[in-house]
Amino acid sequence: MTEKTFQSKLIKLIEKNNGYVVKFNASAISKIGVPDLLACINGKFVGLEVKKENGKPSEIQLWNIEQIKKSGGIAMVVKPSDYENIEKLIEKLGDDYYE
């Protein structure tokens, strides 16, 4: 599965569970190392750095993930083999959603 295909699958999963999600596209003036997907699910900030199965995050990506965690958010590197665990997490976060 390509990284792009996996990202699309994650976006659909987040939206299905009442989450708001954006794909972060880096530019020359943006902060480097920001996770690929930024989401809010039931009031919880979630940052997902999406990698293909053999991909590895950079040091700055790992640093940003740690900063999000220190700020009370949820952040991690995810690969296609992690899908079942990510699906459970996102469903759990979305379970308490009230309109």
Side-chain angles (χ1 to χ4, degrees), residues 3-70:
E3 190 172 307
K4 185 176 179 179
T5 301
F6 186 44
Q7 281 182 3
S8 295
K9 189 173 181 178
L10 291 170
I11 289 168
K12 288 176 187 171
L13 174 66
I14 291 167
E15 289 174 341
K16 180 180 121 187
N17 285 279
N18 301 307
Y20 172 80
V21 61
V22 294
K23 162 73 175 101
F24 181 79
N25 292 309
S27 71
I29 59 170
S30 64
K31 187 173 182 177
I32 60 171
V34 174
D36 295 309
L37 300 179
L38 302 175
C40 185
I41 306 168
N42 195 27
K44 302 290 185 196
F45 181 87
V46 180
L48 300 176
E49 180 58 43
V50 182
K51 296 292 181 190
K52 57 186 176 182
E53 202 56 50
N54 61 351
K56 297 199 184 308
S58 68
E59 289 299 316
I60 191 67
Q61 290 169 330
L62 292 173
W63 183 85
N64 276 293
I65 286 169
E66 286 307 310
Q67 297 310 303
I68 292 168
K69 289 178 180 180
K70 285 179 183 176

